[in-house]
Amino acid sequence: MILVYSGVAAGIEGFLIEVEVDVRPGLPGFEIVGLPSKTVRESRERVRSALRNSGFKFPAQKVVVNLAPAHYPKDGSYFDLPIALGILAHQGSIKPQALKGRVFAGELSLSGTLKRISGALSLAELAKAHDLQLILPEANGREAALSGGENMVLTPSLSHLVQFLAGRAAAPGLPQLTLPQPPASTEQPLVKGQAQAKRALEIAARGRHHILLLGPPGVGKTLLATQARRLLPPLSREEMLTLSKIYEAAGLTSADSPPPVQRPLRAPHHSVSQAGLIGSRSGRPGEITLAHLGILLLDEFPEFSQSALQSLREPLDHREVHLARAEHSLTYPADFWLIATANPCPCGYFGSSVRLCTCTSHDLARYRRKLRGPLLDRFDLFCYLAPLSPKELEEAPRPWPPSPGEFLRRDAAPVDQKALNFLYQAQRSLGLSVRAVDSALRTARTIAQLDGACQVGEEQVAEALQYRWETHEHLLA
């Protein structure tokens, strides 16, 4: 029995798989056990043809392949290469010692060349964690270079790999990969007025606080929200790797796809299903994972289905999402900055001095039920955008936003005792929950660091409370 290590990517995580190959006397046959998917079972014909077209013989005996651990479902074409190598080791074409300390993954064509596989970045992390050398198809050179290429070997075909393992051929070098820079913006968007909303978004961006923008149509809620990505710092190399793994799991990459250079901005339509927002049972990541390290913009927030909105509560708390499947569960990261926009009523003009509201009491009650409750308590900042005044309309528009800054530490600034007493007094008068008090305190710390204050004082706490929903709830009374 020959043991060859391989791996499989489930979500963005890699798992080590033992490929046990046994060739024994008996009627010719080829069987794969260990909970293989249809794709894995089809590797029998690919391996058989690839061996013959590469100049090797396929054994006229019983071939049994076991993929361990047996209880874990196996999917994908990762195992073509390790199965072929196990058969060749049985025949003496490869020394079994050459297979030790290495992880092999690759899809074989019928001619014996190796095709690109998905999940290469996850397998690179897996091999590094187990201190194993990773053998990948040459077509995965971009992913190998992006991961750093540590202890990795690329090979174009099965025959070349056999020569390499025997020490008679050199491996192709890793391609040179220069990380692209975000496209330079020659112009900053010009936004008139809304100074308080701009200030609130700058605070929210620096502290990664979730924010809800409320106001009638046409005041600039969506414009400000989409431009808020400019407030976020550039991606680091590690963040590029994480996003690349997510996009690969979602099937959004190809062999020529460059690494992501901008933080994601996902703005799903309000008709999105709960599975589309959170992730499906098939394991496909949802919008909250695709927005990881970036912005999830929920425009027209109350128009989303109640089930979709309520499913956000746990990911907002834990910054990850668990997708339970029949055989196992997947965990995806979901550390996003939530920006939501809403009108004060279905027609958008409740309380407006510009236009008369045409909503019925039933319309208002149904609409406002979605603007209350535990989910709303998870927003750190709330800002009402009023129509621009005649003076603001006459002013020249100013560039916004400013240059991006680094994320601020949430627990760096100490809190003055007077500020704490002021906060506790506000808790009693406004009826703040424990979560709301903690949220206001974190926001005050961000404001203090943004203003360069050495500690959190009453001024910062007052501004943080100014952005609380409870302070402005009368706008929808």
Side-chain angles (χ1 to χ4, degrees):
M1 191 271 294
I2 300 295
L3 173 62
V4 187
Y5 282 115
S6 186
V8 63
I12 64 169
E13 296 183 63
F15 296 91
L16 200 63
I17 301 296
E18 296 180 354
V19 181
E20 300 173 335
V21 181
D22 188 24
V23 180
R24 57 183 182 230
L27 293 175
F30 195 169
E31 188 173 354
I32 301 177
V33 298
L35 209 58
S37 68
K38 183 179 179 180
T39 304
V40 177
R41 289 194 296 269
E42 289 175 347
S43 67
R44 294 176 296 187
E45 300 307 319
R46 292 194 296 270
V47 170
R48 195 191 307 268
S49 297
L51 286 174
R52 289 173 176 169
N53 292 326
S54 299
F56 304 104
K57 293 183 179 179
F58 190 84
Q61 295 174 291
K62 181 71 171 180
V63 178
V64 179
V65 176
N66 179 43
L67 306 177
H71 68 276
Y72 195 86
K74 322 299 187 306
D75 192 16
S77 54
Y78 306 90
F79 309 111
D80 291 6
L81 184 58
I83 291 174
L85 294 175
I87 293 174
L88 291 176
H90 256 293
Q91 295 177 327
S93 301
I94 299 175
K95 293 181 179 180
Q97 292 79 4
L99 303 177
K100 294 182 178 180
R102 287 171 167 147
V103 178
F104 301 88
E107 177 183 346
L108 286 168
S109 67
L110 299 184
S111 64
T113 58
L114 286 167
K115 297 183 176 181
R116 179 180 178 270
I117 60 171
S118 61
L121 291 172
S122 301
L123 295 182
E125 285 192 1
L126 171 70
K128 184 177 181 180
H130 289 83
D131 195 23
L132 298 170
Q133 187 181 55
L134 178 61
I135 311 295
L136 285 176
E138 189 176 15
N140 285 104
R142 184 190 67 85
E143 293 93 336
L146 183 60
S147 66
E150 297 179 8
N151 207 21
M152 299 177 68
V153 173
L154 301 178
T155 180
S157 64
L158 177 61
S159 57
H160 171 271
L161 181 57
V162 172
Q163 295 294 317
F164 170 78
L165 294 176
R168 295 191 294 268
L174 293 176
Q176 295 295 323
L177 180 65
T178 302
L179 295 178
Q181 297 297 320
S185 177
T186 56
E187 295 182 359
Q188 284 185 306
L190 302 178
V191 182
K192 287 188 175 184
Q194 305 299 355
Q196 186 181 34
K198 293 174 182 177
R199 167 70 172 175
L201 282 167
E202 290 172 17
I203 295 170
R206 297 295 291 276
R208 288 183 293 178
H209 303 292
H210 306 309
I211 183 171
L212 172 63
L213 303 177
L214 186 76
V219 294
K221 303 186 298 296
T222 304
L223 174 63
L224 291 172
T226 53
Q227 295 301 325
R229 180 164 59 170
R230 296 169 178 256
L231 295 167
L232 301 177
L235 289 170
S236 65
R237 184 186 183 94
E238 292 73 19
E239 290 173 332
M240 288 184 183
L241 280 170
T242 301
L243 290 178
S244 295
K245 290 191 293 183
I246 290 173
Y247 297 159
E248 199 168 35
L252 301 178
T253 61
S254 63
D256 301 326
S257 299
V261 296
Q262 287 185 303
R263 294 186 180 272
L265 170 61
R266 303 294 298 187
H269 190 261
H270 61 75
S271 62
V272 67
S273 64
Q274 179 179 342
L277 191 62
I278 302 300
S280 64
R281 291 185 178 180
S282 64
R284 186 179 180 86
E287 291 290 337
I288 64 171
T289 298
L290 296 176
H292 180 62
L293 302 176
I295 296 175
L296 178 67
L297 171 57
L298 298 184
D299 207 8
E300 303 297 338
F301 180 73
E303 299 298 333
F304 286 77
S305 69
Q306 191 67 18
S307 61
L309 291 180
Q310 294 305 317
S311 65
L312 289 172
R313 289 161 56 181
E314 289 187 4
L316 286 172
D317 290 339
H318 304 295
R319 303 181 187 275
E320 61 183 15
V321 60
H322 302 280
L323 303 178
R325 304 175 64 182
E327 304 88 358
H328 65 287
S329 62
L330 298 175
T331 299
Y332 282 113
D335 187 4
F336 55 89
W337 176 27
L338 176 59
I339 303 179
T341 71
N343 295 326
C345 66
C347 78
Y349 294 100
F350 179 82
S352 173
S353 58
V354 177
R355 188 178 300 181
L356 182 65
C357 175
T358 59
C359 299
T360 65
S361 58
H362 179 268
D363 293 335
L364 291 172
R366 180 192 62 83
Y367 191 80
R368 293 170 185 173
R369 275 197 295 268
K370 294 185 179 181
L371 291 177
R372 286 181 169 84
L375 179 59
L376 199 66
D377 207 27
R378 285 165 170 81
F379 284 96
D380 295 330
L381 288 90
F382 165 85
C383 187
Y384 184 85
L385 285 73
L388 298 183
S389 65
K391 181 180 179 181
E392 289 175 317
L393 289 172
E394 293 174 359
E395 291 178 352
R398 300 178 182 179
W400 188 86
S403 301
E406 295 297 322
F407 292 128
L408 298 176
R409 291 179 56 192
R410 299 185 176 186
D411 57 349
V415 185
D416 181 70
Q417 186 59 47
K418 291 183 178 179
L420 280 177
N421 295 336
F422 179 67
L423 177 60
Y424 297 147
Q425 182 180 357
Q427 178 187 19
R428 292 189 294 270
S429 59
L430 296 176
L432 301 179
S433 67
V434 175
R435 181 186 284 113
V437 171
D438 179 68
S439 169
L441 193 56
R442 286 187 285 108
T443 303
R445 281 196 167 102
T446 300
I447 295 172
Q449 294 177 72
L450 196 59
D451 293 345
C454 58
Q455 66 176 359
V456 178
E458 290 185 66
E459 181 181 351
Q460 286 79 31
V461 171
E463 184 176 0
L465 290 171
Q466 173 185 314
Y467 297 119
R468 286 300 308 169
W469 166 261
E470 293 82 0
T471 306
H472 298 274
E473 197 171 3
H474 64 279
L475 294 172
L476 294 180

